[in-house]
Amino acid sequence: MATITMAKAINSGLRIALERDEKVVLMGEDIGKLGGVFRVTDGLQAQFGDMRVIDPPLAESGIMGTAIGMAMRGWRPVVEIQFDGFVYPAFDQIVSQLAKSHKRSAGATRLPIVVRIPYGGGIGAVEHHSESPEAYFAHTAGLRVMSPANPYDAFVMIQQAIACEDPVIFFEPKRRYWDKADFDDTVDVVADPAGVGSPFKARIAREGTDLTLVAYGPMVRTCLEVAEAAAEEGRSLEVVDLRSISPMDVDTLVASATKTGRMVVVHEASVFCGVGAEIAARVTEKCFWTMQAPVLRVGGMHAPYPPARVEHAFLPDLDRVLEAVDQAMDY
Amino acid sequence: MATITMAKAINSGLRIALERDEKVVLMGEDIGKLGGVFRVTDGLQAQFGDMRVIDPPLAESGIMGTAIGMAMRGWRPVVEIQFDGFVYPAFDQIVSQLAKSHKRSAGATRLPIVVRIPYGGGIGAVEHHSESPEAYFAHTAGLRVMSPANPYDAFVMIQQAIACEDPVIFFEPKRRYWDKADFDDTVDVVADPAGVGSPFKARIAREGTDLTLVAYGPMVRTCLEVAEAAAEEGRSLEVVDLRSISPMDVDTLVASATKTGRMVVVHEASVFCGVGAEIAARVTEKCFWTMQAPVLRVGGMHAPYPPARVEHAFLPDLDRVLEAVDQAMDY
Amino acid sequence: MISAPDDLIQLLTPEGQRVSNADFPLDITDDEIRSLYRDLFLVRRWDNEATALQRQGELALWAQCMGQEAAQIGAGRALAPQDMVFPSYREHGVAWTRGVDPVAILGLFRGTTNGGWDPRKHNFGLYTIVIGNQCLHAVGWAMAGMREGTNDAVLTCFGDGGSNQGDVAEAFSFAGIYNAPVVFLCQNNQYAISEPNTRQMRVPVFHKAKGFGFPGFRVDGNDVLAMLAVTRWALENARAGNGPALIEAFTYRIGAHTTSDDPTRYRDPEEVEYWKARDPLLRVKAYLDSVGTPQSFYDSLDAEAEELAQHIRAGARALVDPQPMDIFDHVYAEPHALVEEERAEMAAYIAQFGDLSARHGHGGH
Amino acid sequence: MISAPDDLIQLLTPEGQRVSNADFPLDITDDEIRSLYRDLFLVRRWDNEATALQRQGELALWAQCMGQEAAQIGAGRALAPQDMVFPSYREHGVAWTRGVDPVAILGLFRGTTNGGWDPRKHNFGLYTIVIGNQCLHAVGWAMAGMREGTNDAVLTCFGDGGSNQGDVAEAFSFAGIYNAPVVFLCQNNQYAISEPNTRQMRVPVFHKAKGFGFPGFRVDGNDVLAMLAVTRWALENARAGNGPALIEAFTYRIGAHTTSDDPTRYRDPEEVEYWKARDPLLRVKAYLDSVGTPQSFYDSLDAEAEELAQHIRAGARALVDPQPMDIFDHVYAEPHALVEEERAEMAAYIAQFGDLSARHGHGGH
Ligand SMILES: Cc1ncc(C[n+]2csc(CCOP(=O)(O)OP(=O)(O)O)c2C)c(N)n1
Ligand SMILES: Cc1ncc(C[n+]2csc(CCOP(=O)(O)OP(=O)(O)O)c2C)c(N)n1
Ligand SMILES: [Mg+2]
Ligand SMILES: [Mg+2]
């Protein structure tokens, strides 16, 4: 048992995966000696060598494409994209090859690749370093998309993602890299899955009865804080941590919506055509008669991510979420 | 007045734009002597020369990136992407540069580029030639996204898109390229906009009272056929042709939903995190008390576009849409 | 261009005369050359048969390789069994040398599948339609091999147009930096659909290799012997740990880009005639005639071709259409809730109507 | 590598001796060299000042150009006023030669803007963070110029790491094929963040030019005279209609990648010492001393630098934070219904609470 940051939790998960399966390789710009710009791969090249922990040329399509080639031969590459805004050069390989090869080959070719993307804002960074592009990947059949919200889940889910036979886009909430939790980060959760649930199931992060807040990744903590603040005002909010965006655990969402009758979805990405739209549409369809209010959404504006000095206004925060909660309660 | 196919209508619109403004250039693989694989640019290189109608090297990021450079200098490139599935190599330039440059430069740099993408299925093509990637672009702030459904709109909207000061992703429903209509295809609708509405307003393609079908591009005709079939069964369906996906004419959708109380959205793209989710979420939010049924969605499956011999099962057709209409009416 | 460049590596002249090249000696018997001719001839027949099937409506599309058979057979026959190939979409000749059933490849063009064979069974990857993507897979495959300590090389194919794609350049980068055993084969058939070389390159493709630190060669792509010799050298060089090489096979696409294409819109019939006269089969035949190949060889080849044609025709027609429920298979390797939900919905829907077009007798447009 | 390569074009040795190069004669007065030194010196001061501001929390980040000033000033001073520049994110020296206010550039690193100046006003594009994107814009700009019949050239900058990006290769392709007046400047500072040249290239970058059919040069990037001469030649050559060129400026990033970086994790202090001794300012100073530059020149330069530093410090602190409502401006050039709706919602929200954090006294995390 130790106090562990999310960054360290992922580091531990990667180390365990590298130890468990010699076909696991890490690939990504600066993940070697530097340990990645967030130090998530710290020490791994020193331990496993530069044939297992590869810091490749600066070319994301090249990294993704060669990772696919390695996976075709039975390897399990874990690719790090340095920041959210730099995944787009690899988009073609992801959408046309990574997502579709298993189908195209009628199952003959598996691509158990994990694409780790530190994403989201709130760290005062320059442009292209604070984006939330998860909707693009969620809309793309053939990919799985997940995002842990806390150190323990990060530790467990990265191992599960690597063990998964499908490609996984693994969104790491970079502003939560330094959040801490206490747990044993030496457990191989794949070899010994006792007590570890499926990464594709949502988690009730807090129980409540009046309204359901839905979030994933960085916004889960924000929603927990909202629930705390709302409790002070006498409101009981349930918080669902989605964990996996594709597949989406609709059953858990529906159960919670059925219980509370009200739902607010929160994500950093622009609201328009974001993941929240899917949640709203699907939950509304399944809970049409039980909803007391429309599913409301709080998210980024329909605008490019703004400069750091004003990002607080772009990002959902306690006040904006509470405002939506008020609105939903007022129906 | 002449009988004109959609392909020819766009050709005429492009010719008028080239004539009107000498800063308009066309760029795209094989758009020169060949006139494009769909002949949409037929005769234009012969008329305007290869400095205005450019068939560039085979590299979509290169085409998009150089188009951006030209636009920065005051030109108005109209880029043709040969097929939907080949836009992804250009995705980085589109998302990181085309969509964001105006904002980044605080308005100093305008990029009035039109990206023409023949999209969608139903033509029996091989893989990557039948995709509907519009949700990726609709989610991207800074882009406008439109799709005409008939030859006349194609003729008008392509001219309006080129005249627009913002980047426009212009989705052409390739299976409708050979649909015909009668109109005068020599009118410069920008110079003489009389009677020509905004491309960003939806169109009531058919009036009805029982339920609203919402579609854009290729599915508008399908929905009109559905409405016809439903009429035979005594049901009055309204058909809204969205025309523009971003911005979305929510007012028209809300007005129609308010009138009918029921809505089914139809598109070829996979339903999950598709544009239909946004329509459902937004209309539900604004018409929560008036909806008699949840907004239902009919679209592609969460699977890569299938081989041509089974695409009929993937694509929404009369029966699948009518089934959804039945479902909505049964609430 | 209506003349072949004069800087091409050649071992067999268009007139069928063997010439030698000090860098690429080729020790080959006439029987082996007959065997190469057999491949060229049968692939040509396959190509023609497929074109005919498309005209008859049995295929939605066909991408002819006519004119490029020497480049493909020469390269393909240079492969060792353990070598892997990452093709583009026109590599019928290479596929042939890997033992892929032509009918399997027809499935892609008929529209019954987006794949058609198991890449590992033939060491021949699936056809790749997005230009350039496959070159990176080739390098990744090679990188995996280097980690496994295998002794094999990888061949990957792309076109003159494709040489401009960022992915191809990135593949050069990675292969060069990692000294990966990859042979890049650019079939310069002088057209990217309608766009001639002048629109796709300022200097011949093979020069690119230098910028990435490995050797590049420009070969007469209509000379099966030169292609065999140079590709063999490059593959052996790669297997020996000396890294990648780039081969530009200068050839000509005698046919249309695909059966949907109309090349009369963009190229000169005279040019086509010039290159037809340099048909890669003709020169091998001329050589074989010059060394006294008996008529019986050609007769039995004709018979073999006839048999192949029948196999292709019958096989194409017998290809089974995929079924609606197949859409849900293999989207993921492990269960995915949404796919399972949609699968169940489709099953219920089909069960309800008996088939997909019961209600209105058609599926609409 | 702890030694400079010996194939570099050089006009001023590290010891400050002028040497001549027949291909790149440079007719320059000592006064002009002093003026170059002034630029080098002031940019160095700016860079140090910005680094200090970052340490004080006034900037979120700073990307130092220390060590690369000669490459940037030499190239920048070769530009004609009508020439356009498409920079990456570290081109402070080039920006300086274009008259961009250092404070404007600080806005980007303080987080008050993602841009900061009007590209057309200075013929200097906005900093581009996504590696390689800008090289294609340069080619497009040049293509537009060719259509307008202008007589100008375009300079675009990228790094050794960036030389691997597909976009850069595609930019080479387009520029080559269109004979576009573009000068590609690769500042090889030997590192892409932590990755040394050995991980980014098999052979030096300048070789790439050959593969695309235009000339490539490898220049001592710490030699401002060589950079000036070679870039001037390349720009003139481009303006004369002879097409693109690639210049690899071999230099060294003396500082960290950015202020967030910790280079001690990946590089040898000895190496840094070696290159500090080859500081591009030192050799110009040595030369100027050798020709008897008066102390008054240095004194007034010091004073000027002090003034600049004050301007930068005061300017940085005076940079105005963007306001929430600014988020909605310039997303589109024409009205967009959704943006207008969200703008109205935000306005109402702000009006309701007075400010954004009224309700709970904070905006959460
Ligand atoms: C990324 C991408 N863009 C466009 C296309 C459409 N397309 C198919 S083949 C082709 C031309 C290819 O030319 P080349 O590389 O010379 O190969 P060839 O067909 O001549 O063998 C084009 C543009 C594609 N398949 N992929
Ligand atoms: C497409 C993309 N991928 C990754 C990054 C993150 N990144 C910023 S700078 C850098 C290294 C750049 O190295 P180089 O091209 O040599 O330029 P230098 O910083 O040395 O000037 C990286 C990987 C980026 N900005 N863009
Ligand atoms: Mg070709
Ligand atoms: Mg560098």
Side-chain angles (χ1 to χ4, degrees):
Chain A
M1 197 70 87
T3 301
I4 293 153
T5 63
M6 182 184 287
K8 176 63 172 54
I10 299 171
N11 178 279
S12 298
L14 292 172
R15 175 175 286 110
I16 291 167
L18 282 159
E19 278 164 353
R20 179 176 55 237
D21 183 350
E22 61 178 24
K23 288 293 171 68
V24 171
V25 286
L26 312 190
M27 301 173 78
E29 293 156 10
D30 304 294
I31 68 165
K33 281 192 185 167
L34 186 63
V37 293
F38 291 106
R39 308 293 183 266
V40 170
T41 56
D42 193 24
L44 298 179
Q45 191 178 69
Q47 182 176 346
F48 297 96
D50 66 1
M51 292 295 269
R52 300 281 307 282
V53 179
I54 307 168
D55 31 12
L58 205 177
E60 285 77 7
S61 191
I63 296 169
M64 194 63 59
T66 53
I68 290 170
M70 291 188 78
M72 285 173 163
R73 204 166 187 169
W75 289 66
R76 302 185 94 85
V78 181
V79 169
E80 176 178 304
I81 297 291
Q82 200 162 76
F83 284 91
D84 34 65
F86 308 136
V87 69
Y88 309 121
F91 200 70
D92 179 43
Q93 286 283 351
I94 293 174
V95 169
S96 296
Q97 302 300 333
L98 184 62
K100 298 189 173 76
S101 291
H102 187 254
K103 177 76 191 173
R104 187 181 298 137
S105 67
T109 302
R110 292 185 169 191
L111 299 180
I113 292 173
V114 176
V115 183
R116 295 180 40 239
I117 308 181
Y119 84 121
I123 64 159
V126 295
E127 205 188 352
H128 311 290
H129 291 70
S130 304
E131 303 184 5
S132 297
E134 65 273 14
Y136 299 138
F137 301 94
H139 183 51
T140 307
L143 304 175
R144 290 173 189 264
V145 182
M146 52 171 94
S147 181
N150 59 59
Y152 178 69
D153 267 4
F155 172 72
V156 169
M157 288 165 70
I158 188 66
Q159 295 186 59
Q160 292 173 318
I162 295 170
C164 178
E165 290 296 314
D166 292 309
V168 176
I169 313 295
F170 193 85
F171 282 103
E172 301 175 1
K174 66 170 91 83
R175 69 201 288 203
R176 307 300 182 208
Y177 269 149
W178 304 279
D179 282 9
K180 286 181 189 146
D182 291 326
F183 59 93
D184 176 3
D185 71 341
T186 63
V187 187
D188 182 333
V189 302
V190 172
D192 178 19
V196 177
S198 162
F200 304 112
K201 289 273 158 238
R203 187 176 66 94
I204 306 293
R206 177 185 174 116
E207 303 227 15
T209 51
D210 293 340
L211 180 147
T212 305
L213 290 175
V214 182
Y216 48 85
M219 286 293 106
V220 173
R221 182 171 133 191
T222 303
C223 286
L224 288 169
E225 289 165 359
V226 168
E228 198 62 42
E232 286 165 29
E233 298 177 5
R235 272 188 186 145
S236 166
L237 306 190
E238 178 144 308
V239 178
V240 177
D241 172 1
L242 210 51
R243 301 170 85 245
S244 173
I245 300 169
S246 173
M248 185 178 278
D249 182 359
V250 180
D251 291 346
T252 298
L253 294 174
V254 166
S256 182
T258 303
K259 180 170 75 169
T260 64
R262 291 181 165 83
M263 182 174 278
V264 173
V265 187
V266 185
H267 55 55
E268 293 188 15
S270 297
V271 166
F272 192 76
C273 290
V275 169
E278 182 60 40
I279 296 172
R282 212 161 273 264
V283 168
T284 304
E285 189 183 330
K286 310 235 174 191
C287 306
F288 186 69
W289 297 117
T290 47
M291 294 310 285
Q292 307 293 310
V295 178
L296 299 184
R297 296 173 287 163
V298 181
M301 288 87 201
H302 192 68
Y305 198 89
R309 290 266 173 162
V310 73
E311 66 178 330
H312 61 278
F314 187 89
L315 293 168
D317 61 9
L318 259 64
D319 291 318
R320 278 177 60 212
V321 179
L322 281 165
E323 168 82 358
V325 169
D326 284 352
Q327 258 183 271
M329 295 306 298
D330 283 351
Y331 267 78
Chain B
M1 197 67 89
T3 301
I4 292 152
T5 63
M6 182 183 287
K8 176 65 172 53
I10 300 170
N11 179 279
S12 298
L14 292 171
R15 175 176 286 108
I16 291 167
L18 283 158
E19 278 163 352
R20 179 176 56 235
D21 183 350
E22 61 178 24
K23 288 293 170 69
V24 171
V25 285
L26 311 190
M27 301 174 77
E29 294 155 11
D30 303 295
I31 68 165
K33 282 191 183 165
L34 187 63
V37 293
F38 291 106
R39 307 293 183 268
V40 170
T41 56
D42 194 25
L44 298 179
Q45 192 178 70
Q47 182 175 346
F48 297 97
D50 65 0
M51 292 295 269
R52 300 281 307 283
V53 179
I54 307 168
D55 31 12
L58 205 177
E60 284 78 8
S61 191
I63 296 169
M64 195 64 59
T66 53
I68 289 169
M70 291 187 78
M72 285 173 163
R73 204 165 186 169
W75 289 65
R76 302 184 95 84
V78 182
V79 169
E80 175 178 304
I81 297 292
Q82 200 162 75
F83 285 91
D84 32 66
F86 308 135
V87 70
Y88 309 122
F91 200 69
D92 179 43
Q93 285 282 352
I94 292 175
V95 168
S96 296
Q97 302 301 333
L98 184 62
K100 299 188 173 75
S101 292
H102 187 254
K103 177 76 190 174
R104 186 180 299 139
S105 67
T109 301
R110 292 185 168 191
L111 298 180
I113 291 173
V114 177
V115 183
R116 296 181 39 240
I117 309 182
Y119 84 121
I123 64 159
V126 296
E127 205 186 352
H128 311 289
H129 291 70
S130 303
E131 303 184 5
S132 296
E134 65 273 14
Y136 298 138
F137 302 95
H139 183 50
T140 307
L143 304 176
R144 290 172 189 265
V145 182
M146 52 170 94
S147 182
N150 59 60
Y152 178 70
D153 266 5
F155 172 71
V156 170
M157 288 165 69
I158 188 66
Q159 294 186 58
Q160 293 173 318
I162 295 170
C164 178
E165 289 296 313
D166 292 309
V168 177
I169 313 295
F170 194 84
F171 281 103
E172 301 176 2
K174 65 170 91 82
R175 68 200 287 202
R176 307 300 184 207
Y177 269 149
W178 303 279
D179 281 9
K180 286 181 190 144
D182 291 327
F183 60 93
D184 177 3
D185 71 340
T186 63
V187 187
D188 183 332
V189 302
V190 172
D192 178 18
V196 177
S198 161
F200 304 111
K201 289 272 158 239
R203 189 176 64 92
I204 306 293
R206 178 183 172 120
E207 303 226 16
T209 52
D210 294 339
L211 178 148
T212 305
L213 290 175
V214 181
Y216 49 84
M219 285 294 106
V220 173
R221 184 172 133 190
T222 303
C223 286
L224 287 170
E225 290 166 0
V226 167
E228 198 60 42
E232 286 167 28
E233 298 179 3
R235 270 184 188 150
S236 167
L237 306 190
E238 179 144 306
V239 178
V240 177
D241 172 3
L242 210 50
R243 299 170 86 243
S244 173
I245 299 168
S246 172
M248 184 178 279
D249 181 359
V250 179
D251 291 345
T252 298
L253 292 174
V254 165
S256 183
T258 303
K259 181 170 77 168
T260 65
R262 291 181 164 84
M263 183 174 277
V264 173
V265 188
V266 185
H267 54 55
E268 294 188 14
S270 297
V271 166
F272 191 76
C273 289
V275 169
E278 182 61 41
I279 296 172
R282 212 161 274 265
V283 168
T284 304
E285 188 182 331
K286 310 234 175 191
C287 306
F288 185 69
W289 298 117
T290 49
M291 294 309 286
Q292 306 293 310
V295 178
L296 299 183
R297 296 173 287 163
V298 182
M301 288 88 201
H302 192 68
Y305 198 89
R309 290 265 174 163
V310 73
E311 66 177 329
H312 61 278
F314 187 89
L315 293 167
D317 61 8
L318 259 65
D319 291 319
R320 277 178 59 212
V321 179
L322 281 165
E323 169 82 357
V325 169
D326 284 353
Q327 258 184 270
M329 295 306 298
D330 283 353
Y331 267 78
Chain C
M1 101 189 52
I2 312 197
S3 80
D6 52 17
D7 60 349
L8 305 177
I9 296 168
Q10 199 177 64
L11 295 181
L12 187 66
T13 69
E15 294 73 33
Q17 292 212 286
R18 289 193 59 177
V19 287
S20 65
N21 181 304
D23 294 329
F24 301 101
L26 183 68
D27 197 13
I28 192 167
T29 65
D30 288 344
D31 264 349
E32 288 171 299
I33 296 179
R34 269 185 285 274
S35 151
L36 288 169
Y37 185 72
R38 174 179 171 273
D39 284 353
L40 296 169
F41 192 84
L42 294 177
V43 168
R44 173 70 55 89
R45 181 58 183 264
W46 164 14
D47 200 35
N48 286 334
E49 213 57 46
T51 305
L53 282 168
Q54 195 280 335
R55 301 264 175 266
Q56 294 155 31
E58 296 292 341
L59 302 181
L61 186 82
W62 179 245
Q64 298 161 269
C65 70
M66 201 196 315
Q68 300 176 221
E69 294 92 342
Q72 299 189 1
I73 297 295
R77 289 282 295 264
L79 293 161
Q82 74 273 23
D83 296 338
M84 183 69 185
V85 180
F86 286 90
S88 182
Y89 45 78
R90 200 193 291 287
E91 270 67 72
H92 318 318
V94 188
W96 174 262
T97 68
R98 303 308 275 173
V100 179
D101 185 345
V103 172
I105 287 183
L106 262 49
L108 188 71
F109 293 94
R110 187 175 169 94
T112 58
T113 175
N114 289 331
W117 58 95
D118 181 346
R120 307 244 11 192
K121 233 179 235 159
H122 301 278
N123 275 348
F124 186 76
L126 293 182
Y127 272 13
T128 303
I129 291 173
V130 183
I131 306 275
N133 280 179
Q134 72 280 3
C135 296
L136 284 164
H137 307 162
V139 178
W141 183 275
M143 286 165 64
M146 292 170 84
R147 281 160 179 75
E148 293 171 19
T150 58
N151 176 34
D152 49 45
V154 186
L155 179 78
T156 183
C157 307
F158 60 100
D160 42 294
S163 71
N164 290 295
Q165 279 288 358
D167 270 14
V168 176
E170 295 187 11
F172 291 165
S173 271
F174 279 63
I177 291 164
Y178 294 130
N179 200 40
V182 179
V183 176
F184 294 99
L185 171 59
C186 177
Q187 289 170 71
N188 181 349
N189 64 6
Q190 303 184 50
Y191 285 91
I193 308 189
S194 71
E195 298 192 33
N197 272 189
T198 47
R199 293 233 193 270
Q200 299 287 352
M201 61 193 70
R202 184 175 169 124
V203 292
V205 175
F206 77 104
H207 287 297
K208 291 224 163 82
K210 289 176 217 159
F212 296 89
F214 51 84
F217 307 99
R218 197 169 209 224
V219 182
D220 183 341
N222 287 6
D223 173 354
V224 72
L225 299 187
M227 284 301 301
L228 176 66
V230 177
T231 313
R232 188 178 278 169
W233 179 90
L235 289 166
E236 276 168 9
N237 184 63
R239 279 187 228 106
N242 299 323
L246 168 61
I247 299 171
E248 175 184 356
F250 193 85
T251 177
Y252 192 78
R253 194 195 75 207
I254 292 177
H257 172 70
T258 65
T259 48
S260 298
D261 182 36
D262 175 9
T264 64
R265 293 178 74 102
Y266 57 79
R267 70 183 186 183
D268 188 346
E270 259 181 65
E271 182 187 274
V272 183
E273 286 318 306
Y274 173 88
W275 285 99
K276 271 188 181 161
R278 297 174 81 91
D279 183 323
L281 274 70
L282 290 182
R283 70 177 77 178
V284 186
K285 174 107 177 11
Y287 171 77
L288 289 181
D289 286 347
S290 78
V291 296
T293 298
Q295 184 57 34
S296 60
F297 168 77
Y298 299 113
D299 291 345
S300 75
L301 193 50
D302 278 338
E304 211 182 341
E306 202 47 55
E307 219 174 290
L308 175 67
Q310 276 179 26
H311 167 70
I312 287 171
R313 285 192 297 262
R317 292 192 172 87
L319 282 164
V320 181
D321 279 353
Q323 295 304 304
M325 294 307 295
D326 297 345
I327 289 174
F328 306 99
D329 292 341
H330 308 304
V331 179
Y332 296 92
E334 298 184 8
H336 185 284
L338 176 59
V339 174
E340 296 320 316
E341 184 184 325
E342 291 187 348
R343 188 201 298 272
E345 278 168 16
M346 173 76 95
Y349 180 74
I350 292 176
Q352 181 188 354
F353 291 118
D355 74 67
L356 275 181
S357 51
R359 181 167 172 165
H360 286 86
H362 58 76
H365 305 269
Chain D
M1 105 187 53
I2 311 196
S3 81
D6 52 17
D7 60 348
L8 305 177
I9 297 168
Q10 200 177 64
L11 295 182
L12 186 66
T13 69
E15 294 73 33
Q17 292 213 286
R18 288 195 58 178
V19 286
S20 65
N21 181 305
D23 294 330
F24 300 101
L26 183 69
D27 198 13
I28 191 167
T29 65
D30 289 342
D31 264 349
E32 287 170 301
I33 296 179
R34 271 185 284 273
S35 151
L36 287 169
Y37 185 72
R38 173 180 172 273
D39 284 355
L40 295 169
F41 192 84
L42 294 177
V43 168
R44 172 69 56 91
R45 182 57 182 264
W46 164 15
D47 200 35
N48 286 334
E49 215 55 48
T51 305
L53 281 167
Q54 195 279 335
R55 302 265 175 265
Q56 294 155 29
E58 296 293 340
L59 301 181
L61 186 82
W62 180 246
Q64 298 161 268
C65 70
M66 200 197 312
Q68 301 177 222
E69 294 93 341
Q72 299 188 1
I73 297 294
R77 289 282 294 265
L79 292 161
Q82 74 273 20
D83 295 338
M84 183 71 186
V85 180
F86 286 91
S88 182
Y89 45 78
R90 199 192 293 284
E91 270 68 71
H92 318 317
V94 188
W96 175 262
T97 68
R98 302 309 274 172
V100 180
D101 185 345
V103 173
I105 287 184
L106 262 48
L108 188 72
F109 293 94
R110 186 175 171 93
T112 59
T113 174
N114 289 331
W117 57 94
D118 181 345
R120 308 241 13 190
K121 233 179 236 161
H122 300 278
N123 276 347
F124 186 75
L126 294 181
Y127 272 12
T128 303
I129 291 173
V130 182
I131 307 275
N133 281 179
Q134 71 280 5
C135 296
L136 284 164
H137 307 163
V139 179
W141 183 277
M143 286 166 63
M146 291 170 85
R147 281 159 179 77
E148 293 171 20
T150 58
N151 177 33
D152 50 43
V154 186
L155 179 77
T156 183
C157 308
F158 60 100
D160 41 295
S163 72
N164 289 295
Q165 279 288 358
D167 270 15
V168 176
E170 295 187 12
F172 291 165
S173 271
F174 279 62
I177 291 163
Y178 293 131
N179 201 39
V182 179
V183 176
F184 295 99
L185 171 59
C186 177
Q187 288 170 71
N188 182 349
N189 63 7
Q190 304 186 49
Y191 285 90
I193 309 187
S194 71
E195 298 192 33
N197 273 189
T198 47
R199 293 233 192 270
Q200 299 286 353
M201 61 192 71
R202 184 174 170 125
V203 292
V205 175
F206 78 103
H207 287 298
K208 290 223 164 81
K210 290 178 216 158
F212 297 88
F214 52 83
F217 306 100
R218 196 168 210 224
V219 182
D220 183 339
N222 287 6
D223 173 353
V224 72
L225 299 187
M227 284 302 301
L228 176 66
V230 177
T231 313
R232 188 178 277 169
W233 178 90
L235 289 166
E236 276 168 10
N237 184 64
R239 281 187 225 104
N242 299 323
L246 168 61
I247 298 172
E248 175 183 355
F250 193 84
T251 177
Y252 192 79
R253 195 195 75 207
I254 292 178
H257 172 70
T258 65
T259 47
S260 298
D261 183 35
D262 174 10
T264 64
R265 294 179 72 101
Y266 56 80
R267 69 182 187 184
D268 188 346
E270 259 181 65
E271 182 187 274
V272 183
E273 286 317 307
Y274 174 88
W275 285 100
K276 271 188 181 163
R278 297 175 80 92
D279 183 324
L281 273 70
L282 291 182
R283 71 177 77 177
V284 185
K285 174 103 176 10
Y287 171 77
L288 289 181
D289 287 346
S290 77
V291 296
T293 298
Q295 183 56 35
S296 60
F297 168 76
Y298 299 111
D299 291 343
S300 74
L301 193 49
D302 278 337
E304 210 182 342
E306 201 46 56
E307 218 174 292
L308 175 67
Q310 276 179 27
H311 167 70
I312 287 171
R313 286 192 297 261
R317 292 192 172 87
L319 281 165
V320 180
D321 279 352
Q323 294 304 303
M325 294 307 295
D326 298 345
I327 289 173
F328 308 99
D329 292 341
H330 309 303
V331 180
Y332 296 91
E334 298 183 9
H336 185 284
L338 176 58
V339 174
E340 296 320 316
E341 184 183 324
E342 291 186 348
R343 187 201 301 271
E345 278 168 15
M346 172 76 94
Y349 179 75
I350 291 175
Q352 181 189 353
F353 291 119
D355 75 66
L356 274 180
S357 52
R359 181 167 172 166
H360 286 87
H362 58 76
H365 307 270

